[in-house]
Amino acid sequence: MNYQPTVDYGLPKIQVPGGYLMYAIFLPAIGLFLERYAYSAKIAMIHWALVLILMPISCALDKRMLEKHDVNTITLGKTYLFPPLYIFRRQVLVRKEAALCIACIILCVGAVFTNGFVKGLRINNDIMPDVVQNSSFSQLNNFSGSTLTTVGECLKAYSSEELKWNSEKTDYGFEVTAQGKHNNKCFSMVFVVEFDGFTYHDFYIDKILENDRELDKDSKTEVLDQCFIKYETDKKEGRSSGRSSSSETDSR
């Protein structure tokens, strides 16, 4: 008589809906997507607070759903307060793979390290001059119109010597100053960047100094026209010193 060994294929999986669970897993990704529509740090804080609240709620609703399907959830306890742990134990309970738990951890880590507040921590005096230089001059509130010409490009052409940039942290954001020389006169152009730690609110040229004397409104407008508007006009016409006829000056 031949002996046929028995093979244990494991317990069958418990088939239960997973709608609430999937919502909890993808909430961090949804949060990152919707974050771009937050226009201030306060709104973003409320936004992420809701994400942190809704994830445990979704897990708690999933646990209740399991109980309605006669699944003994005593081993889950209050792990729904810690969604990744809940998802792991939940998957073990219903005898399914832990892939959803891994996906949840990856999305949570991604949300933690790529949200706007964390990115805001990297904004400092060292990189603000580069931010200003690489910004389109049409982003300045002093102008209206559309152009791809950058602030750095315009100022580099306007100055007869290499520009010196420095940045200072303020209560409302940053003040970035560009110093150079034009027509044998030293000039300083002060940019104000209002930043609340999460997003930018305002970007404009606050004042212009020539030989340490602040220019009045008319003189300032004239310098801005020559530095930015004329530069792109000349650039479009193929001249060497360049500036957007579609842009208009609105000195502050």
Side-chain angles (χ1 to χ4, degrees), residues 155-156 158-164 179-182 186:
L155 285 178
K156 185 177 180 180
Y158 182 74
S159 178
S160 58
E161 65 178 24
E162 186 176 355
L163 292 165
K164 295 179 181 178
Q179 296 176 310
K181 204 169 209 180
H182 180 76
C186 296

Side-chain angles (χ1 to χ4, degrees), residues 70-124:
D70 299 324
V71 178
N72 187 350
T73 61
I74 191 170
T75 58
L76 297 178
K78 293 185 178 181
T79 56
Y80 57 81
L81 296 173
F82 308 95
L85 177 60
Y86 169 83
I87 295 170
F88 173 76
R89 289 195 176 181
R90 190 254 199 205
Q91 292 300 88
V92 172
L93 180 65
V94 297
R95 305 174 195 123
K96 292 185 178 180
E97 297 80 5
L100 292 181
C101 176
I102 296 172
C104 179
I105 292 173
I106 291 173
L107 292 175
C108 286
V109 171
V112 168
F113 287 101
T114 63
N115 69 76
F117 290 104
V118 173
K119 290 180 179 178
L121 294 175
R122 305 188 191 115
I123 305 298
N124 54 42

Side-chain angles (χ1 to χ4, degrees), residues 21-248:
L21 185 70
M22 299 303 293
Y23 187 61
I25 291 170
F26 286 100
L27 259 173
I30 295 172
L32 283 175
F33 174 77
L34 295 179
E35 182 191 59
R36 67 184 68 184
Y37 300 104
Y39 54 85
S40 71
K42 291 182 179 179
I43 297 297
M45 288 175 66
I46 295 173
H47 167 80
W48 283 111
L50 287 173
V51 171
L52 293 175
I53 292 170
L54 289 174
M55 285 186 71
I57 289 177
S58 298
C59 291
L61 291 173
D62 180 77
K63 181 183 177 184
R64 182 180 298 179
M65 181 273 303
L66 291 176
E67 292 169 350
K68 288 182 179 180
H69 284 76
D70 299 324
V71 178
N72 187 350
T73 61
I74 191 170
T75 58
L76 297 178
K78 293 185 178 181
T79 56
Y80 57 81
L81 296 173
F82 308 95
L85 177 60
Y86 169 83
I87 295 170
F88 173 76
R89 289 195 176 181
R90 190 254 199 205
Q91 292 300 88
V92 172
L93 180 65
V94 297
R95 305 174 195 123
K96 292 185 178 180
E97 297 80 5
L100 292 181
C101 176
I102 296 172
C104 179
I105 292 173
I106 291 173
L107 292 175
C108 286
V109 171
V112 168
F113 287 101
T114 63
N115 69 76
F117 290 104
V118 173
K119 290 180 179 178
L121 294 175
R122 305 188 191 115
I123 305 298
N124 54 42
N125 287 326
D126 293 330
I127 69 171
M128 275 310 300
D130 290 333
V131 172
V132 171
Q133 291 180 68
N134 293 323
S135 298
S136 164
F137 84 74
S138 62
Q139 293 177 278
L140 288 161
N141 288 10
N142 304 78
F143 300 94
S144 62
S146 178
T147 177
L148 297 177
T149 305
T150 65
V151 170
E153 185 180 355
C154 294
L155 285 178
K156 185 177 180 180
Y158 182 74
S159 178
S160 58
E161 65 178 24
E162 186 176 355
L163 292 165
K164 295 179 181 178
W165 292 84
N166 63 75
S167 175
E168 181 180 350
K169 186 78 172 67
T170 64
D171 293 337
Y172 49 80
F174 296 87
E175 280 191 2
V176 179
T177 304
Q179 296 176 310
K181 204 169 209 180
H182 180 76
N183 290 340
N184 295 321
K185 293 181 180 180
C186 296
F187 74 88
S188 297
M189 196 171 290
V190 181
F191 299 83
V192 169
V193 182
E194 294 186 6
F195 181 69
D196 64 5
F198 173 77
T199 189
Y200 299 102
H201 291 284
D202 220 349
F203 178 37
Y204 58 91
I205 297 172
D206 183 40
K207 56 187 176 182
I208 301 174
L209 292 84
E210 280 189 355
N211 293 333
D212 297 326
R213 181 181 63 86
E214 184 174 350
L215 300 182
D216 58 26
K217 183 176 180 181
D218 291 338
S219 299
K220 177 182 172 183
T221 299
E222 184 180 346
V223 170
L224 293 179
D225 282 345
Q226 185 175 5
C227 182
F228 295 98
I229 306 297
K230 185 176 183 303
Y231 172 80
E232 187 163 349
T233 301
D234 291 349
K235 180 181 176 182
K236 284 185 175 181
E237 294 176 358
R239 300 179 203 166
S240 57
S241 59
R243 315 185 185 198
S244 164
S245 56
S246 61
S247 299
E248 300 173 358

